[in-house]
Structures are given as structure tokens and as C-alpha cells.
Amino acid sequence: MPETTLPPVFKKLLKADIAGLLPYSNVDDLCRAVLEYLNSQLDFRLWMITRTEGDDWIVLYARDQEARVTDGKVFKWQDSYCYRMVAGKGPQIVPDVTRVPEYVDAPINSKIPIGAYIGVPIMRADGTLFGTLCAVDPETKSENIETCMPLIHLMARSIGTVLELEIQFEREQRLRERIEAESMVDELTRVYNRRGWENLIRREEQRCYRYGSPAGIMIIDLDELKEINDTRGHQVGDELLQSAANVVREESRGSDIVARLGGDEFAILTVESTPEQAEKMAGRLRQAFANAGIKASVGWAAKHGNISMKLALEEADKMMYAEKFMRKDSAKIV
């Protein structure tokens, strides 16, 4: 019977049913709905969707009946059951963890009481590991929970699919943001000005928290700009700034955010880069400035786990000033 011939009361019921089938508006809603559903079907006190990044095991979403583990909590990846599960050293579903020596010896036991465990990988399209969908409970469970493994696999693959699509969308969105920010460019150096920097890193920080991805912060200060302006004129100082901006651009990737924050200060946000990659980039910057005959102090810090962008910026700034003071002290000794 066509909908137009239905009595009004049935039309209302039909619309209510359809409303419950509308797509989720974002990955956050999907992930929370998955955890709620799994919690209703399998009574585990803690369900998590996690991201692995280097040594960090980051809880992106948590459904904890006892509210001990919350979104953003960071554990050490190698301490977890999931680390052993992904490495093939333990099963994906364990009604009684005392029967699995690899899990009994895991350091995570000192942080979370675990009697039963479920864990499956969440994979990227390229075959790399994104994180895990997992659950733990302090009590052991019936062997019957093993029959739910197809459901858990389906949920993990669904989450991985939506995450992959959203990450691809965010990369395209990042390009659109850079185009929109072209009006927020420093005219002299042709890198972003402070306003462009603040707008773009705010959006990148939101992505870091949503996907658990790391980033690196570089703060660069030109040591002799004021002296050059005072003794050789502002035109020479402007040429120094332009040369420094060229060095910074050449050492950055297309996805990175490069900005001039003030008179003699530049900054770089390295998108989706590990602390190790950020440290190496800082070393390359120092060498590139030296090769260009530019005296500059470089500080760096990593934004990863639950470390805020503000804290990372402060740490990078401290390192930059420490390097600057050390150079001045060395010059006095000479």
C-alpha cells in the first residue's frame, strides 16, 4: 500500500521508524552507538575504541560502567592485551584470562582489573593498524561469548570503514582550509600570519583529538634580526626574513603549516608526524639555517596523546629560548 493511502497514525509511525535509520552524522556518533550496543549485548564493564601511535595506546572512545577510563586516556601500547593480540601472541576473545599466560603477565593488569577480554584490530585500507575495538571485565565470562566473534569483527570493520572515509574527507578538508586561509598570509614572507596560524592549528588540534594522531611543533627565532635592522637597515632585515622563510618552506612538507608569528619568529606545525619525526625535522632545520648562513634558534615539541597544542607550543618555546641563551653564553666565552 503506498504511503499516501495510509491513515495519519500509520504515517507517523512510519516516519518514526525511518528517523531511527538515518545515517549517523559523524564518526563520533557511530562509535558511541557501537559501544552502547555492544555493552547491551555483552555485559563487559569497559568497552573501548583505541588508536595506536608509537608507544601510545590512546582511548578515543570509552564506555566504562565505573567511569575509571575516559576518552583521551593514554596507556602504554606494549603494556596492553591488544598489543599481544595484534602480535598473534594471544586470542581475540578470552572468557578467563588466567588461562592465557601472555595476558596474565601483561603490565596493564596493574592498572585495570581484568578477568575476561575481547579485542580485535581496526585496520586502515592500506593494511596498517589504526587501533582496536576491545572490552574487559573484572569477572570471568561464560564460554558462550565466543559465539559473538562475528558480530565484533563486523563492528570493527564497520568502524574502520567509516574512519577511513572520514580521514580521507579530512585530508580534502585540510586542503580547502589552506585555500581559504590564503588571505591570512604575511605579505613579506608569503607564509601564514599569526591569524592564519591560530585558525589552522585549532582545526588540526580537533583532528588530533578525534583520531588520536600526533603532530610536531617547531618554533624558530632569528638571532640577529634586530641587530641587522639597527646597523644595516630594514631592507637587509627584510631580506633576512625572506631567506629564513625560504629555508622553513623548503624543509617543510606540503601538508605542514608554516607561519610567521611575529617580527623574527616563525612556527611550523608538522601534521601527522611522530615525536621522532619532529625531532629529526628540527635537526634538519638547524643544519639548513647553518648552510644558509642564518643564525637561528630552533625549539620543538610533540603534540601526542592527551598533550594539548598549547602545552606543546610552550615546550617548543622553552627549548628555543634555551638554545638561544646557550648560544649567547658560548659567544661570551669565545
Side-chain angles (χ1 to χ4, degrees), residues 7 46 58 62 79 100 107 124 126 137 150 197 261 273 299-300 304 313:
L46 173 60
I58 307 162
D79 288 352
V100 183
R124 296 289 304 274
D126 61 3
D137 194 273
W197 166 263
L261 300 186
S273 65
W300 73 274
H304 64 105
L313 277 165

Side-chain angles (χ1 to χ4, degrees), residues 201-226:
I201 68 166
R202 183 177 65 253
R203 297 177 185 180
E204 288 300 333
E205 182 164 30
Q206 291 169 354
R207 294 187 178 102
C208 289
Y209 283 124
R210 175 172 287 188
Y211 305 113
S213 53
I217 293 281
M218 315 283 153
I219 297 294
I220 303 112
D221 191 89
L222 305 184
D223 294 338
E224 297 180 333
L225 179 63
K226 185 179 185 304

